[in-house]
Amino acid sequence: MKKIYGNEYLLSTIASMIDNGRSAQSVMFYGEKGSGRKLMAKHYTLSLMCENLHDGKPCGVCNSCQNVLKGYHPDITYVEKSGKLGGFSVETARSVINDSFIKPNNNNGKKVYIFTDCHNMDPRTQNMLLKLVEEPPEYAYYIFTCKSRNDFLPTIISRCICFGVSVCTESEAETSLLESGFSQDEVNNAVECFHGNIGLCTEYITDEVLRKQVDLTKSLADSIIRKDEYMLNVQLFSLGNGRSEVKSVLSMLDILIRDAAVLGKNPDADVMGCYRKGAEELSRVLVFSQTMKIHRIIEKAERSIDSNVTIPLVTAAMSGEIIAAI
């Protein structure tokens, strides 16, 4: 069973809930991508299903734990997504509701439904699930993972126990990555980009696409520093029409702009983005008000992309607005 680094208080809270027989039937884990919210959802599921709990902690070796870890457990459902935005349809919600009233067939008499990455869950779907979350069958548990609690309607939030999942320290991330068998050089490069975010560090090492996105983000920052609208536009155009890829790069660029704003106030501050050198240079060429303007421009572009507007048109307009802002 994979060791979970950081979030000690959250882990102890979950253990206490389980040990005292007060496990919540509707739980939400929220945090940034790569922070471990899915890992925490699996840990909670293990805690619910384990046959040999010790102080509220799963053993990781019993048949039930092994089935959870291998994805074979018949009473655990990872709810499927659908549509261009990868959300959960009303039909899917209806299917979960119907299935929830079929009793489980296992030793501890529980069944678990896991909804991952719920930032695109349609309000109609949420409203359909509301009654189920509010008054679930005594044996049914519902786990949601998302970036922010605000991805959900207030009515859903009020009926869930919400846990924030935070990233680790850089030293914890380094230890975890080395334990996973990565080389020291790979770990150093990953931690330099994504700090204590173990999920994104791992993805950076194993996924060439993410490494290219990081390189492009750094190039975009350099173009802004040089006030080079042509290269900024060319680089964004190279992303094509892949919605998730464009949004990933824009998100990383927005974090760099945030870092520039922070470093402008405190040059020794820690950064969150993948390019400290670029953020430092941006902090020297941009005043705070300009970083806020660029942040709003990027936010507007992300909203437009979610609205199915043609992506190259959005990025071209964004390029012009960013250069005009500086």
Side-chain angles (χ1 to χ4, degrees):
M1 187 168 65
K2 187 175 178 64
K3 180 178 179 180
I4 299 177
Y5 284 87
N7 292 288
E8 289 85 0
Y9 180 75
L10 174 52
L11 290 169
S12 65
T13 299
I14 290 173
S16 179
M17 287 169 52
I18 298 292
D19 198 37
N20 293 318
R22 300 178 63 184
S23 52
Q25 288 185 261
S26 299
V27 176
M28 185 183 300
F29 293 104
Y30 63 93
E32 66 179 71
K33 179 182 178 182
S35 61
R37 60 198 188 212
K38 293 179 187 175
L39 184 61
M40 202 62 71
K42 179 170 282 189
H43 176 80
Y44 189 63
T45 302
L46 284 165
S47 301
L48 291 171
M49 306 304 281
C50 181
E51 300 167 10
N52 298 309
L53 286 167
H54 179 68
D55 294 332
K57 300 175 183 178
C59 68
V61 296
C62 68
N63 285 337
S64 186
C65 281
Q66 284 297 300
N67 286 338
V68 173
L69 291 169
K70 294 175 182 176
Y72 297 156
H73 202 294
D75 288 311
I76 295 173
T77 300
Y78 280 86
V79 183
E80 292 186 2
K81 301 175 186 176
S82 60
K84 291 182 179 180
L85 297 179
F88 299 91
S89 68
V90 170
E91 291 74 18
T92 297
R94 187 176 292 114
S95 175
V96 169
I97 292 168
N98 292 336
D99 190 71
S100 292
F101 291 94
I102 301 173
K103 291 187 176 181
N105 185 25
N106 61 68
N107 292 336
N108 65 11
K110 296 173 183 174
K111 60 193 310 186
V112 180
Y113 298 87
I114 303 171
F115 297 78
T116 60
D117 298 330
C118 294
H119 49 281
N120 287 322
M121 184 179 282
D122 193 294
R124 294 172 299 174
T125 303
Q126 294 187 47
N127 281 321
M128 179 163 282
L129 291 172
L130 179 59
K131 186 68 174 177
L132 189 65
V133 171
E134 185 176 26
E135 297 179 6
E138 61 181 9
Y139 49 78
Y141 293 78
Y142 305 93
I143 302 174
F144 304 90
T145 74
C146 55
K147 293 179 182 178
S148 166
R149 288 186 297 179
N150 294 328
D151 292 331
F152 284 89
L153 298 172
T155 47
I156 293 286
I157 296 171
S158 66
R159 287 157 177 81
C160 291
I161 300 297
C162 300
F163 294 118
V165 182
S166 58
V167 298
C168 305
T169 64
E170 291 190 4
S171 61
E172 287 173 328
E174 181 178 352
T175 300
S176 175
L177 293 165
L178 289 172
E179 286 179 355
S180 295
F182 299 120
S183 70
Q184 187 68 61
D185 285 344
E186 289 175 324
V187 171
N188 290 344
N189 291 334
V191 171
E192 183 180 4
C193 287
F194 292 108
H195 314 288
N197 189 315
I198 295 174
L200 285 178
C201 283
T202 301
E203 187 177 348
Y204 180 80
I205 295 171
T206 59
D207 187 354
E208 185 180 359
V209 172
L210 180 58
R211 292 196 296 274
K212 288 181 177 179
Q213 290 175 355
V214 169
D215 290 342
L216 179 57
T217 303
K218 292 179 178 180
S219 296
L220 291 172
D222 289 338
S223 294
I224 293 173
I225 292 166
R226 296 192 303 268
K227 300 182 182 180
D228 188 340
E229 182 179 351
Y230 173 75
M231 283 307 302
L232 186 62
N233 203 3
V234 168
Q235 290 156 354
L236 286 168
F237 186 79
S238 69
L239 280 168
N241 291 302
R243 190 181 310 277
S244 62
E245 292 82 0
V246 175
K247 289 192 66 176
S248 177
V249 170
L250 293 187
S251 176
M252 287 191 282
L253 180 61
D254 197 24
I255 293 171
L256 278 182
I257 297 301
R258 172 266 175 204
D259 287 344
V262 171
L263 292 173
K265 301 288 185 180
N266 178 9
D268 297 320
D270 291 333
V271 298
M272 298 172 60
C274 61
Y275 189 26
R276 183 181 184 101
K277 181 180 177 182
E280 289 173 341
E281 188 62 30
L282 282 167
S283 73
R284 289 190 280 269
V285 300
L286 300 175
V287 298
F288 184 80
S289 62
Q290 290 172 319
T291 62
M292 291 300 97
K293 284 181 182 178
I294 295 173
H295 164 67
R296 288 191 290 270
I297 290 166
I298 295 172
E299 273 196 331
K300 185 178 73 171
E302 291 179 316
R303 288 195 300 270
S304 297
I305 291 169
D306 283 336
S307 301
N308 265 340
V309 176
T310 303
I311 292 176
L313 292 178
V314 172
T315 55
M318 187 186 77
S319 297
E321 291 176 8
I322 288 175
I323 298 303
I326 56 180

